[in-house]
Amino acid sequence: MKRAILRGSLAALLASLCCALVLCAVLFNYRVTQQTEQDLLHIAQAAALSLDEEEDKEQFARLLAQQTNLRVTVVAENGDVLADSETDPAALPSHLQREEIQEAAREGWGVSVRSSDTVGCKLMYAAVHTPGGQYIRVATEYSGLWLDLVSFWPVLVAGVAAGLIAAVPLASRQAAAIAQPIAWLSRGLSGVTGEKDKVKLDVDSYPYPELQQMARDINQLSEEVSGNMRRLQAEKEKIDYILDNMSEGFLLLDEEERVLTINEAACSFFQCRRADVQGKNLLFATRNLGVLEAVNSVAEGKQDTAQAQLPLAGRRTVQANVSRVREGEGGLAKGAIMILTDITDQKNAVKLRQEFFQSASHELKTPITSIRGFAELLCSDMPLDEGVRKDFSNRILKEAERMTSLIGDIIMISRMESGDITFERETVDLADAVRESADAVRGLAAQGKVELEVRAEDCSISASRREMGELFGNLLVNAVRYNHPGGRVQASLTVEKGRPVFQVFNTGDPIPEKYRERIFERFFRIDKGRSKESGGTGLGLAIVKHIAGSYGASIDLEVTGEGNRFIVRF
């Protein structure tokens, strides 16, 4: 910038000098012309006073020319040349139409400048009309402005050079004085990035009002940029916080399939680090062909949405839903958004639902088959005594009751898992619920010759009385059914660290270790024959686990040589 100012100053100076020199030359030429006209007129007027008395006009013209170094011409009133100091008057044409002669005839004197064919150069003529009616004309060589400039060019060049030499240090200092504050402003302006503290320029340190105003504008701009950057950073942190706390993975891709944004969940699914994939192609995050093809088809506009599944370790499955970014001001009309969702539980739920209906169909098939068989025997022509008929009828009733119980449990667990059934919660005294469930089981315990002991401390929680009855009742029924005649069942409700704990212990056969993880599965039985004989549906513990989970309670199994203990901790 300093060089530009210096060059501009020198150019302006040179132009000014040239203009000044031209103006001076014009003025000088004007003054010289005026002076020459006056001198010629004075000489012509002085000669006109004695011209009429002279008889030898040629001698008069030659003498005057010698004295003044001018060309002298005497012209008669009719325009004929009577004498000329430079040439033979007889060879000259009439001068009556010459400009200076015509002007002298009108005004008494006249001046003109033109080229002379006689002498071959440019002359200035001054003519005076004498009292005797004649004209005396004197002329001198007149070079003009440009010839004067050419004659003076060495002096002019020297003057311009001297002016430039003297002006260079002055212009350099002036350029530095202007450029230095602007450089300070430039450094201050470069700090207006919002990354650091806002810029604060000292306005009074700048020597020019314009620069002071620029400094004030930069200070205001810095404050606005800093404020905007703080707001943008806060919004970015908010968006990053929301994205990183999503359970679903999120990716924003541009038209070149570069990763613009990726959250922590997506990094976890792809087993990559954000710093390694941010701003790079999706290949740096995953090499799964299904995901890459889905993104490619959306990015190229073949379809608006696409899906792909990404298998993960631990038999987990993630579904990638890719959709095109709608055209807007962001310039991402060909980009894509990818949402990654863990669908492992959904797939497992579908699988469990299929297994559940298969198991339910199988479980219902057995009592229906028995009922049908006994009914066919009763309806046949086969002779049956009254005792056999009664036995068949009792078996039909027992199987119908078992099927009713099974259907009831199937409907309950299905509705509970689907959320179709909800139970109103209230303040429930768990001790009363345990005692009511125990009273309902005492008949079954007496029938199986099982001793039932119940001990309950008073405690209350917000719960559904029916669900608590199902939880306690199923655990107690199971403890009685899977016991030995003469065995015992001990149920206790205690409060540990302010939390209710329900325990049921029975002296039945210890559950083998290989079955301990499966006993809460629907329709799972260790001894299927004994379970059916006792009227079990295989859904009791599954219902218990579901209810416990809905209340945030845990259920554990402890197996010893004496028996089995189920523990529910609320």
Side-chain angles (χ1 to χ4, degrees):
M1 181 178 181
K2 181 179 177 182
R3 292 182 179 179
I5 294 175
L6 181 59
R7 288 195 297 269
S9 300
L10 294 178
L13 177 61
L14 181 60
S16 300
L17 288 174
C18 292
C19 291
L21 290 173
V22 171
L23 290 175
C24 288
V26 172
L27 180 61
F28 175 75
N29 179 73
Y30 175 77
R31 296 295 298 273
V32 169
T33 301
Q34 292 294 322
Q35 186 64 41
T36 303
E37 289 180 358
Q38 291 177 7
D39 291 345
L40 290 177
L41 285 174
H42 287 162
I43 294 173
Q45 289 172 352
L49 296 176
S50 58
L51 176 63
D52 291 337
E53 300 175 358
E54 294 290 337
E55 294 182 0
D56 191 353
K57 306 296 183 184
E58 292 185 4
Q59 181 65 28
F60 179 81
R62 285 194 295 271
L63 289 175
L64 183 59
Q66 290 176 359
Q67 293 174 358
T68 60
N69 291 324
L70 301 174
R71 180 184 177 184
V72 180
T73 305
V74 178
V75 181
E77 188 172 4
N78 62 358
D80 293 338
V81 178
L82 301 176
D84 189 271
S85 62
E86 297 291 337
T87 187
D88 183 9
L92 296 175
S94 175
H95 281 30
L96 187 62
Q97 300 301 321
R98 301 296 169 91
E99 180 181 353
E100 66 276 6
I101 298 299
Q102 290 186 353
E103 187 175 352
R106 293 191 306 270
E107 303 293 339
W109 58 273
V111 179
S112 67
V113 177
R114 66 177 178 275
S115 296
S116 174
D117 297 333
T118 304
V119 297
C121 65
K122 194 174 185 180
L123 298 177
M124 177 180 287
Y125 299 93
V128 175
H129 194 192
T130 66
Q134 298 178 350
Y135 299 93
I136 184 167
R137 187 185 70 176
V138 295
T140 186
E141 186 177 347
Y142 179 76
S143 59
L145 173 63
W146 299 112
L147 293 178
D148 290 340
L149 287 178
V150 170
S151 63
F152 285 112
W153 74 267
V155 178
L156 297 178
V157 171
V160 171
L164 291 176
I165 292 173
V168 166
L170 295 176
S172 179
R173 285 196 294 271
Q174 184 66 21
I178 296 175
Q180 185 63 38
I182 295 178
W184 296 342
L185 284 175
S186 178
R187 285 195 294 269
L189 189 60
S190 65
V192 184
T193 59
E195 297 177 357
K196 299 179 181 179
D197 295 336
K198 59 184 179 181
V199 175
K200 188 67 176 177
L201 299 178
D202 185 4
V203 176
D204 296 331
S205 64
Y206 294 92
Y208 307 108
E210 294 82 2
L211 297 182
Q212 291 177 355
Q213 183 59 42
M214 289 179 64
R216 283 191 286 268
D217 293 341
I218 289 174
N219 288 340
Q220 182 179 358
L221 177 63
S222 175
E223 186 171 354
E224 292 177 357
V225 170
S226 297
N228 291 334
M229 289 300 296
R230 285 194 298 270
R231 286 191 291 272
L232 288 175
Q233 184 64 27
E235 291 296 325
K236 181 180 181 299
E237 291 176 356
K238 185 188 299 183
I239 292 174
D240 290 341
Y241 177 80
I242 293 173
L243 292 178
D244 288 338
N245 283 275
M246 290 173 54
S247 59
E248 295 84 4
F250 176 86
L251 289 93
L252 177 61
L253 309 173
D254 65 6
E255 58 182 1
E256 300 296 333
E257 299 182 16
R258 289 188 296 263
V259 179
L260 300 179
T261 302
I262 182 171
N263 66 350
E264 290 295 335
C267 291
S268 176
F269 290 145
F270 286 143
Q271 295 296 306
C272 64
R273 296 191 308 169
R274 181 180 297 177
D276 295 337
V277 301
Q278 193 86 29
K280 298 180 181 179
N281 192 276
L282 183 61
L283 285 169
F284 286 86
T286 180
R287 300 297 177 91
N288 184 274
L289 291 179
V291 173
L292 295 176
E293 289 176 357
V295 172
N296 185 260
S297 63
V298 170
E300 291 183 353
K302 296 178 181 178
Q303 50 187 353
D304 291 336
T305 60
Q307 292 182 345
Q309 290 191 356
L310 178 69
L312 301 180
R315 296 183 179 180
R316 296 171 58 207
T317 303
V318 170
Q319 179 167 295
N321 296 290
V322 185
S323 59
R324 186 185 307 173
V325 176
R326 298 300 179 188
E327 185 172 2
E329 297 180 359
L332 295 172
K334 295 183 180 179
I337 289 177
M338 183 188 301
I339 303 295
L340 301 171
T341 307
D342 191 340
I343 60 171
T344 305
D345 292 340
Q346 296 179 14
K347 291 185 67 176
N348 291 340
V350 172
K351 183 179 178 181
L352 288 175
R353 192 176 297 110
Q354 292 174 348
E355 294 177 351
F356 172 74
F357 285 112
Q358 290 175 358
S359 299
S361 300
H362 178 73
E363 292 293 331
L364 288 172
K365 184 178 180 181
T366 302
I368 290 175
T369 302
S370 298
I371 292 173
R372 180 177 179 180
F374 290 127
E376 288 177 349
L377 288 175
L378 290 174
C379 294
S380 67
D381 296 332
M382 184 182 297
L384 299 173
D385 56 24
E386 189 62 26
V388 174
R389 288 182 178 274
K390 186 176 182 180
D391 180 60
F392 284 175
S393 299
N394 288 333
R395 290 196 178 191
I396 290 173
L397 179 61
K398 184 177 181 181
E399 292 294 339
E401 291 176 349
R402 178 170 174 264
M403 188 168 62
T404 301
S405 177
L406 179 60
I407 291 174
D409 287 346
I410 290 174
I411 292 174
M412 173 173 283
I413 194 169
S414 297
R415 296 181 66 186
M416 290 173 64
E417 288 183 348
S418 62
D420 292 339
I421 183 172
T422 56
F423 298 99
E424 184 178 353
R425 294 194 179 191
E426 57 182 318
T427 301
V428 177
D429 187 343
L430 294 183
D432 288 344
V434 169
R435 295 188 189 99
E436 290 175 1
S437 298
D439 291 342
V441 178
R442 290 191 186 279
L444 181 63
Q447 183 180 351
K449 300 179 181 180
V450 175
E451 180 183 356
L452 178 60
E453 300 177 6
V454 178
R455 180 173 58 87
E457 297 181 11
D458 292 335
C459 62
S460 300
I461 64 171
S462 177
S464 165
R465 180 174 294 275
R466 179 176 176 181
E467 287 182 312
M468 292 299 101
E470 289 285 343
L471 187 148
F472 299 144
N474 277 301
L475 287 175
L476 289 172
V477 167
N478 272 7
V480 171
R481 281 179 177 168
Y482 299 100
N483 212 327
H484 302 294
R488 71 180 189 279
V489 173
Q490 296 175 336
S492 66
L493 176 67
T494 58
V495 179
E496 298 179 2
K497 298 180 180 180
R499 298 182 179 181
V501 178
F502 179 68
Q503 301 184 45
V504 177
F505 173 78
N506 75 338
T507 56
D509 295 333
I511 299 175
E513 185 175 358
K514 62 181 179 179
Y515 297 133
R516 294 173 189 173
E517 296 294 330
R518 301 190 59 193
I519 57 175
F520 295 100
E521 295 179 7
R522 288 166 289 192
F523 300 113
F524 178 78
R525 300 182 182 88
I526 298 176
D527 187 347
K528 295 184 179 180
R530 181 179 178 184
S531 176
K532 292 180 179 180
E533 182 65 26
S534 61
T537 63
L539 293 174
L541 289 180
I543 294 174
V544 168
K545 183 178 181 181
H546 184 84
I547 294 175
S550 66
Y551 284 91
S554 63
I555 180 167
D556 301 312
L557 170 64
E558 293 181 358
V559 180
T560 63
E562 297 180 357
N564 308 289
R565 184 185 304 275
F566 288 87
I567 306 172
V568 180
R569 293 183 174 88
F570 289 89

